[in-house]
Amino acid sequence: MTTLVRTTELPATLLEAGFSEAASRALGEWRDDPDWVRALRAHGWEAWEDIPMPGKTTEGWRRSDLRFLALDRVRPATALPERAAGFDALPRALTEQVDMSFAAGGVLVQRDGGTAYGEIVDDLREQGVIFTDLHTALREHRDLLEAHFMQLVPARWQPGPPSNAGKFEALNAAFFNGGSFVYVPPNTTVTLPVRSIFWASDPAAGFFPRSVVIVDRGARLVYLDEYRSVEAPEGAPAVFGSGVVELYIKDGARLDYVTTQEWSPSTGGFLTQRVTLGRDAYVNWVVVALGGLCSRLTADVLLQGKGTKADLLGLAFGERTQVFDIHTLQDHLSPYTDSDQLFKTALRDRARLAYEGLIYIRPGSYGSNGYQANKNLLLDDTAKADSIPMLQIHDNDVRCTHSSATGPVDEHHVHYLMTRGLPRPQAERMVIQGHFEPVIGRIAVEELKDTIRDAVDRRIGDR
Amino acid sequence: MAAAETLERPVGTDGRVPTLQIEGLHVAIDGHEIIHGIDLAVNKGEVHAILGPNGSGKSTLAYALMGNPRYEITEGTVTFNGEDVLEMEPDERARAGLFLCFQYPTSIPGVQMGNFLRLAVKARFGDKAVKTFRRELQEKLRLLKMDQSYMQRYLNEGFSGGEKKKAEILQMAMLKPEIAIMDETDSGLDVDAFKVVADGVNAMRGADRGFVVITHYNRMLEYIKPDFVHVLIGGKIVKEDGPELAVQVDQHGYGPIIEEVRARGEEVELPEEGGATYAREEPAARHHDPFRSHGRTAI
Ligand SMILES: Nc1ncnc2c1ncn2[C@@H]1O[C@H](COP(=O)(O)OP(=O)(O)OP(=O)(O)O)[C@@H](O)[C@H]1O
Ligand SMILES: [Mg+2]
């Protein structure tokens, strides 16, 4: 247990809007960065300054819409929250949105980068499972973190193939504030889901969580990551932030992972998540993107070890003027690696999707299979989807396919259901739900499936 | 309400208003007329067989009756229990008690069979029916020798030909229509599947249900004895009679009937060889303690 008493008082530099080197340093001091971390934070700032702001001509950013950015009007941080006595003592604005109906192995709720509530079952703690906030972990678990923190998503990540991320990951490296750390020791099985919930509650402050998850050799973990934010006031710029998650799945380990992005409709943000897989490791990852005004989501899987397997599934439902900018990477770095990706979206009103997915087969990754499919339902003529599935293959002994399909609800399907007595709105609803079912069905937590189904259902609205 | 209007129309053999009454029906697809004036009256308790060569318009008639928007009714009337069917949406027709077993059932990814059936039964019979749903479903599954696991599968997805047809019969059995149109439910079935399907249909026969059985084969009609047989060629019913007509077609084919029609001085439009069977391309309460009884530690 940490005995450090920290002030929740925010240093003056962080009360001012805008990002600066001084602010980055002040943040590090305020959050008690150990020495070895200070250098990383400093690198983050340098990279942020060096990497040009992506624009309409930047590879991987052509269809992105960054007009929501108002960096000089965002404060880098805000005061840390009081600890709540229990989950129910947290503000209603948050608890109302979170599904707590199912059993968990641990829950960590962070508000504006600080822990507002967190518990782990003793059983897991006794088995050596570590679940804590990032800052505590950086101080207390250097042994585990030095080799993992900012390694998969480094402070300086020069954009270029196969990934064009870098800029906003650097901003996160300079201003990371909050995040969680999960460690599962070798051959330990954690099937009760471990949950992190990140809530940005001050619309004037940026949110920059950075998390590290390590599933050690032969271990298993079910991990849920949830992102939420408050609405921006009328006339104010969009709530802004950039989150990073680094996930390490060691040899023979398995991770079942669900990311839920349910930012408020007036939030513009970035979320970059990378998973690396050791030999014979497996990840089943479901990304659920429902919130945000403009959101860029980067989901990368590095099939590093021989014989690894990754299932990457995703769904997004856009309404009003929401923009989803989704980038996925299946990077095959070893022989006999299998990746299977399925991303499904539905868009209504004037919502827009820009999807880019790359299967990258490195030389020597013989015997590998890479599959990728993106399917988009346009529920209104005004909705738009740009889908760019890409293959780069540098080994000939592999099997790869990719496909993308965008179109309205299939009238044949609707008609068939109607001939069984379902009125048109109900028939359409059923077809739309059915569109997402192959993704929702893969969520590792049974109860969460219904929560996601309901969330999708609400968005379908009255057809 | 519509009774006064229907009284002026020809009535069924025993003086009842036919449950399904088709008069002077013309149907076109993409502006091209396929059905050139059909009259047909079907009562509950009756089994009508429609025979005809490939491409003669049998499925077109069935689709038009079910309200498929691609099939345009250019002339004629159709009533169901005296009500104007042509004014109804397909779902209204279904809830009124009209059912079509599709020749080529659509598969719908992501829609679970069980979930769908429950909603369909609810749509037709109301909330009450949901109570007895489970039990009835079990019963019908047993009758059709279908495994419970079908209920978790996506509608017709990856089903074999026989499984699709069984799934259609299952839907019919659960929705208990007044008039069921069965479009070649017997084709593409092996002997065992055929028998299960035929038994399933026979089990549903009764005074409260009428059938229109569209088929190529006498095999089906030997199981399900028709009361009336209609021969449809070139978009017209060219001959109608009792069950013996089916035997006659089975033995001699359509040749003699076509000659007979030509001898009457009528024209018969014959579909081109091979271009007949039209298979549509298939497009592709909150609990706030998540730890329950576990001990926990603050982190
Ligand atoms: N959806 C459609 N689009 C285009 N043409 C169609 C369509 N449906 C039917 N047709 C045409 O209408 C004619 C009648 O077809 P229909 O399917 O009704 O015949 P059928 O008697 O059911 O044949 P089969 O015994 O092969 O099932 C054929 O010429 C067919 O090509
Ligand atoms: Mg047909």
Side-chain angles (χ1 to χ4, degrees), chain B residues 189-208:
Chain B
L189 298 180
D190 62 33
V191 182
D192 293 338
F194 173 80
K195 185 144 186 333
V196 171
V197 164
D199 286 345
V201 175
N202 262 334
M204 290 194 66
R205 281 189 75 165
D208 50 0

Side-chain angles (χ1 to χ4, degrees), chain B residues 58-59 103 183-184:
Chain B
K58 305 182 296 295
S59 293
Q103 185 177 2
D183 191 358
E184 300 207 22

Side-chain angles (χ1 to χ4, degrees), chain A residues 156 207 287 332 450:
Chain A
R156 179 182 290 271
F207 55 89
V287 175
H332 292 254
D450 280 333

Side-chain angles (χ1 to χ4, degrees), chain A residues 1 83 87-88 94-108 115 117-123 125 131-133 192 195 344 410-424 426 430-431 433-435 437-438 441 453, chain B residues 63 66-70 89-92 94-95 98-102 104-112 115-117 119-121 123-124 154-156 167-168 171 175 280-281 283-292 294-299:
Chain A
M1 286 279 353
R83 274 254 185 185
F87 181 84
D88 285 324
L94 175 68
T95 56
E96 269 173 356
Q97 293 182 49
V98 175
D99 178 7
M100 273 287 158
S101 67
F102 54 89
V107 176
L108 181 69
T115 299
Y117 162 77
E119 283 182 301
I120 179 174
V121 300
D122 290 339
D123 243 23
R125 204 171 39 85
F131 183 35
T132 186
D133 74 279
L192 276 179
R195 304 177 69 175
K344 293 205 153 198
D410 190 325
E411 270 301 314
H412 293 114
H413 294 171
V414 174
H415 178 72
Y416 183 86
L417 297 178
M418 286 177 76
T419 66
R420 284 4 181 180
L422 303 187
R424 175 171 284 276
Q426 201 183 355
M430 204 163 197
V431 175
Q433 288 167 339
H435 173 69
E437 203 45 44
R453 283 188 188 110
Chain B
Y63 289 142
M66 219 51 228
N68 186 318
R70 272 208 71 188
E89 289 296 321
D91 57 306
E92 297 173 302
R95 291 198 300 276
L98 193 58
F99 186 90
L100 170 60
C101 275
F102 284 89
Y104 303 108
T106 308
S107 38
I108 310 184
V111 173
Q112 274 181 350
N115 194 14
F116 154 68
L117 264 182
L119 286 178
V121 165
R124 171 136 160 82
Y154 296 156
L155 200 55
N156 292 324
E168 293 288 293
Q171 293 177 46
L175 293 173
R280 189 175 59 74
E281 184 74 21
R286 291 216 165 168
H287 191 304
H288 279 171
D289 176 16
F291 301 103
R292 306 284 153 78
H294 292 276
R296 80 281 294 269
T297 301
I299 51 175

